[in-house]
Amino acid sequence: KLQKEKADQQDMLAAMDLKADKAALDNKVDCSQFEENMELLDDRMEELQSQISDQNQHWNTVQQQFSDALEEKLDRQELKAFRKRQDEAWLRNIENFEKRLLGDTGAGIKK
């Protein structure tokens, strides 16, 4: 009965290998040190998120200014139509000026 219930030497050695030895515990990180480092990491991540948020706001502002500036500009079709009207008005004014300059002054002309 004792031989059946007594622990097997192989099982005992396997169980001892599973337990942490003191040298391995010395290499482990202290819990308070780990928490301190995690808090520092969390603070740094919040700072980075704040910087990214600020950059995002700045980018949106610049993009809105650029969009507003583009809306204020004439597009090419409007510019072509405006130039055509200006050219036509310029030619009409030149023709009217030439007619007045070369036209009848009201004085009689003798042959």
Side-chain angles (χ1 to χ4, degrees), residues 70-86:
L70 278 178
E71 287 178 12
E72 291 176 1
K73 301 287 181 185
L74 295 174
D75 67 358
R76 291 189 183 270
Q77 295 300 326
E78 290 175 339
L79 192 57
K80 285 180 183 178
F82 177 73
R83 183 176 180 166
K84 184 178 177 182
R85 280 184 268 138
Q86 290 292 54

Side-chain angles (χ1 to χ4, degrees), residues 80-96:
K80 285 180 183 178
F82 177 73
R83 183 176 180 166
K84 184 178 177 182
R85 280 184 268 138
Q86 290 292 54
D87 288 342
E88 290 172 357
W90 180 254
L91 290 174
R92 274 195 314 265
N93 288 338
I94 290 176
E95 288 175 5
N96 290 337

Side-chain angles (χ1 to χ4, degrees), residues 2-13:
L2 279 175
Q3 266 193 322
K4 284 184 182 179
E5 292 182 12
K6 99 175 162 178
D8 185 26
Q9 185 177 4
Q10 295 292 339
D11 292 338
M12 183 70 154
L13 290 175

Side-chain angles (χ1 to χ4, degrees), residues 1-109:
K1 184 176 182 182
L2 279 175
Q3 266 193 322
K4 284 184 182 179
E5 292 182 12
K6 99 175 162 178
D8 185 26
Q9 185 177 4
Q10 295 292 339
D11 292 338
M12 183 70 154
L13 290 175
M16 286 179 64
D17 285 339
L18 289 176
K19 288 186 177 182
D21 61 348
K22 290 192 182 222
L25 281 176
D26 289 339
N27 292 331
K28 301 289 182 188
V29 175
D30 185 25
C31 186
S32 61
Q33 182 183 6
F34 175 76
E35 287 177 359
E36 182 181 327
N37 287 339
M38 289 306 292
E39 286 178 13
L40 289 173
L41 182 63
D42 187 47
D43 291 344
R44 182 65 181 144
M45 290 299 288
E46 287 178 10
E47 183 181 331
L48 287 172
Q49 283 179 335
S50 174
Q51 288 176 355
I52 289 171
S53 176
D54 291 345
Q55 281 183 333
N56 194 15
Q57 287 177 337
H58 177 68
W59 172 251
N60 287 338
T61 302
V62 169
Q63 189 176 18
Q64 184 63 41
Q65 289 173 348
F66 184 70
S67 178
D68 292 344
L70 278 178
E71 287 178 12
E72 291 176 1
K73 301 287 181 185
L74 295 174
D75 67 358
R76 291 189 183 270
Q77 295 300 326
E78 290 175 339
L79 192 57
K80 285 180 183 178
F82 177 73
R83 183 176 180 166
K84 184 178 177 182
R85 280 184 268 138
Q86 290 292 54
D87 288 342
E88 290 172 357
W90 180 254
L91 290 174
R92 274 195 314 265
N93 288 338
I94 290 176
E95 288 175 5
N96 290 337
F97 180 70
E98 286 176 351
K99 284 181 186 176
R100 280 189 277 153
L101 190 62
L102 298 175
D104 190 9
T105 58
I109 299 176

